[in-house]
Amino acid sequence: MKLQYRNETVDLDDEDLADETVSNLAARCADHINADVERVSLLFLPKPGLMKYPFPDRKLSEFLTPTTRIKLVGSPKAEVKKMDEHGRNVPSTRRWQLPKPRKSQHWQEARDAVMYTFQAIEPLPYLPNPEKSKRFLERLANDPGIKFAMRKHKFSVSLLTEMDPAQHTTHESRTLGLNRNRGEVIELRLRTDAYDGYRDYKVIRKTLCHELSHNVWGEHDRNFWDLTKQIEKEVEQNDTRHGGHRLSNEEFYNPEDAYDETEHADSGGWTQGDFVLGRSKDGPSVAGLSRREILAQAAMIRKEKQMAQTDNVLAKDKDAREEHEQQEPPTS
């Protein structure tokens, strides 16, 4: 079993993990990076997801599988101490000098950049070209406007991943994004419905603003929309790259794409339930299927829903005719 911490990979002895609990593993990890256990988190992929302090005494053997990946998130004591000392040692401004708040806040910005960000980024490995999706997600995570908004609102997202269009498309709506448990997982619809390309970068970024608002507000009420518009404005104003939506060879550019709030259909921020990478909360898992099988499954789901709608319409028409016949007086 391997554990990932930043750019370091740590090998864990599977025999030692057999009877170990989550709290024991967290304590070991904290010791390994010389951090306080209260400042570390463990992200188990594909499930059960993020675990924070206080860690449960649940045995790892209950959910670990050969495909489980573990990511450690946390800052060593030395880094925390260095940032705190830097903040205390900043010389005070003389009375006759104009204050320079930007220089005195560099240490805090560095600390916030580590705390308020996307702790892990994962594409869907079974869809075509996952590395391209990862580049897309990394560009969103490193977007100057997004980084500014996350620091300002103190947003920390455990996992940023992509959404499988086949699982989130119905005859009535297309889900553009999902936020699970107020920032535990954010899923974004990166790909076109036919898997033949990627959607417009700025449209996806606007969807991300929408989902970040669900870190605070679950329902689509006035509070939610006010915060969403505020985040969108902050992202645009702090877009130091001037919003160019070309990366290389226009791979993340679709001029015909547009953001439509009416088709978002994310049902607000949803809570509870296990998150499995590549599966919606209602749809079947498609991990391991080929692109043709995924498209066939999506077509079958759409066909079944269309048939159900047709049957419903025919049933209503039949009821209406029978009711009309009952009310119509007999002819002599």
Side-chain angles (χ1 to χ4, degrees):
M1 186 70 63
K2 294 185 181 295
L3 180 142
Q4 186 74 30
Y5 175 67
R6 296 181 178 175
N7 295 325
E8 176 188 4
T9 300
V10 181
D11 289 318
L12 301 176
D13 192 333
D14 292 350
E15 293 183 2
D16 293 341
L17 293 178
D19 297 321
E20 192 166 28
T21 64
V22 176
S23 58
N24 294 146
L25 178 60
R28 273 212 293 158
C29 290
D31 288 340
H32 179 75
I33 65 172
N34 193 24
D36 295 324
V37 69
E38 295 88 352
R39 291 179 176 269
V40 302
S41 301
L42 293 173
L43 180 63
F44 297 91
L45 297 171
K47 63 178 181 179
L50 182 72
M51 293 190 182
K52 300 180 179 180
Y53 182 86
F55 296 93
D57 289 325
R58 182 180 178 185
K59 284 192 174 183
L60 296 169
S61 57
E62 295 179 8
F63 58 85
L64 286 186
T65 69
T67 60
T68 299
R69 287 166 294 158
I70 308 174
K71 291 181 181 288
L72 170 64
V73 180
S75 299
K77 296 177 183 177
E79 289 185 7
V80 176
K81 182 180 179 181
K82 185 176 180 180
M83 288 188 288
D84 289 342
E85 289 178 349
H86 186 88
R88 289 194 297 268
N89 294 335
V90 172
S92 59
T93 306
R94 296 180 180 180
R95 292 182 181 179
W96 59 85
Q97 290 180 330
L98 293 174
K100 299 179 181 180
R102 291 293 301 176
K103 289 187 178 180
S104 66
Q105 292 175 3
H106 282 338
W107 68 274
Q108 185 174 1
E109 290 179 359
R111 181 193 64 187
D112 290 349
V114 175
M115 295 179 61
Y116 306 121
T117 184
F118 301 95
Q119 304 299 337
I121 293 174
E122 291 283 339
L124 294 180
Y126 59 87
L127 292 182
N129 203 349
E131 285 302 317
K132 192 171 180 179
S133 293
K134 187 175 182 180
R135 292 199 302 272
F136 199 133
L137 295 171
E138 288 174 342
R139 187 185 180 199
L140 287 167
N142 293 317
D143 187 292
I146 293 294
K147 291 172 71 173
F148 174 86
M150 293 189 74
R151 289 196 303 268
K152 178 179 178 180
H153 299 279
K154 301 186 185 303
F155 289 151
S156 178
V157 176
S158 301
L159 175 64
L160 178 66
T161 185
E162 65 174 315
M163 174 183 292
D164 187 346
Q167 296 179 342
H168 298 274
T169 302
T170 68
H171 184 67
E172 299 87 4
S173 63
R174 296 164 67 246
T175 303
L176 304 183
L178 284 173
N179 183 323
R180 177 182 185 271
N181 291 339
R182 298 199 172 190
E184 179 178 333
V185 179
I186 287 183
E187 299 176 62
L188 298 175
R189 191 186 192 103
L190 305 183
R191 302 171 185 263
T192 57
D193 295 351
Y195 296 89
D196 56 357
Y198 285 78
R199 306 182 62 222
D200 181 66
Y201 176 79
K202 277 196 167 183
V203 172
I204 304 301
R205 190 176 67 173
K206 197 167 185 178
T207 300
L208 180 54
C209 296
H210 180 116
E211 297 309 326
L212 286 173
S213 297
H214 282 310
N215 282 16
V216 181
W217 306 105
E219 300 296 328
H220 290 129
D221 56 13
R222 176 46 49 193
N223 292 323
F224 169 82
W225 289 116
D226 287 346
L227 179 58
T228 300
K229 298 304 180 187
Q230 179 184 347
I231 293 175
E232 289 176 356
K233 184 177 180 180
E234 292 165 352
V235 169
E236 288 288 343
Q237 290 177 342
N238 291 275
D239 184 3
T240 55
R241 297 174 184 172
H242 305 293
H245 37 219
R246 302 171 194 266
L247 187 62
S248 61
N249 298 324
E250 299 183 343
E251 62 178 345
F252 300 147
Y253 177 60
N254 183 352
E256 297 180 358
D257 200 7
Y259 180 85
D260 186 354
E261 293 174 351
T262 61
E263 71 173 359
H264 208 107
D266 67 354
S267 302
W270 57 282
T271 58
Q272 306 303 323
D274 289 336
F275 171 77
V276 179
L277 197 65
R279 188 179 72 192
S280 66
K281 64 174 181 176
D282 299 318
S285 174
V286 296
L289 299 182
S290 67
R291 175 181 173 182
R292 178 177 297 180
E293 290 170 332
I294 293 170
L295 294 175
Q297 185 182 86
M300 181 66 71
I301 293 173
R302 287 194 295 268
K303 184 176 180 181
E304 290 175 353
K305 290 186 177 182
Q306 290 173 356
M307 291 177 63
Q309 289 177 339
T310 302
D311 292 342
N312 187 38
V313 172
L314 292 175
K316 288 183 178 180
D317 289 343
K318 181 180 178 182
D319 292 341
R321 287 197 304 272
E322 291 178 350
E323 182 179 355
H324 178 74
E325 291 174 354
Q326 293 175 356
Q327 294 177 355
E328 187 177 28
T331 58
S332 55

